[in-house]
Amino acid sequence: MRAKLTKRLLDALRTPDSGELKVWDTELRGFLVRLRTGGSRKFIVEWMRDRRTRRVTLGDYGPLTVDQARDLARQILAQVAKGEDPAAERASERTAPTMADLAERYLEQHAALKKKPSSIETDERLLKNYVIPALGRRKVAEVGLKHMADLHHAMRGTPVQANRTLALLSKMFNLAERWGLRPQGANPCRGIDRFRETRRERFLSGAEIARLGAVLEEEAPNEPFVVLAIRLLLLTGARRNEVLTLRWSEVDFERGALRLTDSKTGAKAIPLGPTALAILAATPRLEGNPYVIPGRRAGGRLVGLFRPWVRIRERADLGDLRLHDLRHSFASIGAAAGLGLPILGSILGHKSHATTARYAHLGDDPRRAAAARISDEIAAALSRKED
């Protein structure tokens, strides 16, 4: 059917009972409207290239007027006259990777190969909670400075998370350039000022440790491995993932140490005090499970420590104390006891202090004695009754 496409004509056309009806515009060759039984009325422009019909769907009648659709058709036909292929460009745009696609590729082709499990977990959390909800459907090539600035500003209530998210996105866009998904030098994260971060200095007092110890005693029958993880964090100064991924093969009872094959700073040994050793010696081993802190899944490790920790710290009236603050508390007690920074830094595995290997050949390891002093003080506080 051919006719000059007008609003009056389109309003008068009846939806076909079956199949589709095409009405070709007599004013502009290649411009038409297609009606289908479902009620859709779409503007289309068609042309021939290499003996093949090419087409671009312009949009629906209603959101687009006839005149607007005809103008779009003219623009596309003008591109065709210049030798361009608008249909291929539109198809390329539709299949162009989104930010969700980039996130998946980043995790598979970069993070999984080059980052530690704890870092991957952090990246996955930032992507799931912040990046995907805000930008997941946007094309990688379309994201600009304004999008990054808006996301960063929207996260101003959690400045540390905002800065970490921006750093993660910056790395993803650098990789996108390397993978040919964006032009070189077009990272939209550049030029955005990070929020100021206030370093937290939160340490447990003796009274707080006593309250925590009382709650852990009450929680132990129901959550034995959660309690074990928290006690080890406090008694060793180890990082959360160092405790949660600890395997029995890494516990050296003879030398009183945890000999980690991997950690944030690589392979290292963590000296143990008598209390930590006694707790580990009394811990049952689940058959077929290599982890000291097993999880609910057979053969797996505990992964959900945050929620029970929130409940425990609330019961112990510890405010917003983080799990990482247990490590700070271990260090603070050691510093208060007059331990030298090289020894304390070595216990904690800080790169800026003496490394574990420096003391490995000594028969009377001063780090072990220092760790014993710290854990003894903590153990005493854990069992002390608050006045």
Side-chain angles (χ1 to χ4, degrees):
M1 178 177 174
R2 292 185 177 274
K4 180 179 178 179
L5 296 183
T6 63
K7 182 179 185 303
R8 178 178 295 179
L9 173 68
L10 266 62
D11 289 342
L13 286 174
R14 292 181 55 189
T15 300
D17 295 329
S18 62
E20 62 182 25
L21 171 66
K22 290 183 177 180
V23 182
W24 297 83
D25 186 33
T26 55
E27 184 174 299
L28 180 64
R29 184 175 182 180
F31 178 50
L32 67 139
V33 67
R34 183 187 64 202
L35 289 74
R36 285 184 170 167
T37 53
S40 71
R41 301 183 176 204
K42 292 187 179 294
F43 293 114
I44 297 171
V45 61
E46 291 186 353
W47 66 94
M48 295 294 294
R49 168 163 287 179
D50 299 328
R51 298 183 180 180
R52 291 179 56 195
T53 300
R54 311 285 282 176
R55 70 175 57 85
V56 167
T57 301
L58 303 172
D60 293 311
Y61 173 56
L64 276 179
T65 67
V66 176
D67 290 340
Q68 288 171 336
R70 188 180 284 113
D71 287 342
L72 288 175
R74 285 197 180 98
Q75 293 173 25
I76 289 175
L77 292 172
Q79 291 178 275
V80 173
K82 295 177 183 177
E84 299 174 11
D85 190 348
E89 292 174 7
R90 290 286 185 95
S92 178
E93 289 176 4
R94 286 195 300 272
T95 59
T98 63
M99 288 297 294
D101 297 328
L102 177 61
E104 184 176 352
R105 185 172 179 181
Y106 164 82
L107 291 171
E108 291 179 355
Q109 298 185 19
H110 177 76
L113 302 177
K114 300 184 178 181
K115 305 189 79 171
K116 294 185 180 296
S118 59
S119 297
I120 295 174
E121 287 179 13
T122 299
D123 287 349
E124 289 175 336
R125 177 175 55 80
L126 294 177
L127 290 168
K128 177 183 177 181
N129 294 341
Y130 304 108
V131 176
I132 300 303
L135 302 169
R137 295 184 178 181
R138 290 195 175 275
K139 304 295 185 183
V140 175
E142 296 175 352
V143 177
L145 177 63
K146 184 180 184 304
H147 299 116
M148 293 298 95
D150 287 347
L151 175 58
H152 192 242
H153 179 71
M155 297 176 65
R156 62 191 179 279
T158 53
V160 174
Q161 297 292 332
N163 291 345
R164 299 299 176 273
T165 301
L166 193 64
L168 170 61
L169 282 165
S170 182
K171 179 61 181 180
M172 290 170 57
F173 283 120
N174 285 340
L175 290 171
E177 292 180 14
R178 188 184 307 171
W179 293 333
L181 305 180
R182 287 180 65 92
Q184 293 295 317
N187 191 325
C189 297
R190 292 173 185 160
I192 298 178
D193 294 330
R194 271 53 169 178
F195 292 121
R196 179 178 296 178
E197 299 180 17
T198 303
R199 183 177 293 275
R200 282 186 47 149
E201 295 293 343
R202 175 73 166 91
F203 311 121
L204 284 168
S205 66
E208 288 177 323
I209 295 177
R211 293 202 302 272
L212 176 59
V215 173
L216 291 178
E217 283 292 332
E218 295 173 2
E219 292 279 344
N222 298 321
E223 296 277 13
F225 293 112
V226 167
V227 170
L228 173 62
I230 294 172
R231 282 174 170 159
L232 289 178
L233 287 170
L234 188 55
L235 289 167
T236 65
R239 296 180 176 90
R240 178 177 60 91
N241 260 41
E242 292 171 349
V243 167
L244 294 183
T245 60
L246 180 65
R247 297 170 180 262
W248 284 112
S249 59
E250 298 173 315
V251 181
D252 187 341
F253 286 101
E254 184 178 349
R255 293 178 175 81
L258 304 179
R259 301 195 176 276
L260 307 182
T261 55
D262 193 18
S263 72
K264 183 178 180 180
T265 54
K268 73 173 185 180
I270 298 176
L272 299 172
T275 303
L277 276 171
I279 289 175
L280 286 168
T283 298
R285 305 189 188 194
L286 299 188
E287 185 177 354
N289 194 315
Y291 293 104
V292 175
I293 315 290
R296 298 184 184 279
R297 183 172 56 84
R301 66 175 180 86
L302 179 67
V303 294
L305 187 57
F306 178 73
R307 287 186 178 179
W309 166 247
V310 170
R311 184 185 70 252
I312 288 169
R313 77 181 182 189
E314 287 178 353
R315 288 193 59 202
D317 192 22
L318 300 179
D320 62 349
L321 187 80
R322 304 169 303 171
L323 283 166
H324 194 68
D325 292 329
L326 300 180
R327 176 174 165 87
H328 292 325
S329 299
F330 180 94
S332 70
I333 293 172
L339 301 180
L341 290 183
I343 294 296
L344 190 57
S346 181
I347 293 172
L348 296 172
H350 291 161
K351 285 186 175 181
S352 58
H353 296 290
T355 61
T356 303
R358 181 176 178 181
Y359 300 91
H361 66 284
L362 299 179
D364 183 18
D365 191 342
R367 298 174 309 134
R368 184 176 178 183
R373 288 174 61 186
I374 298 172
S375 63
D376 284 347
E377 287 201 31
I378 293 174
L382 282 172
S383 59
R384 188 183 304 136
K385 301 300 182 182
E386 190 177 7
D387 295 335

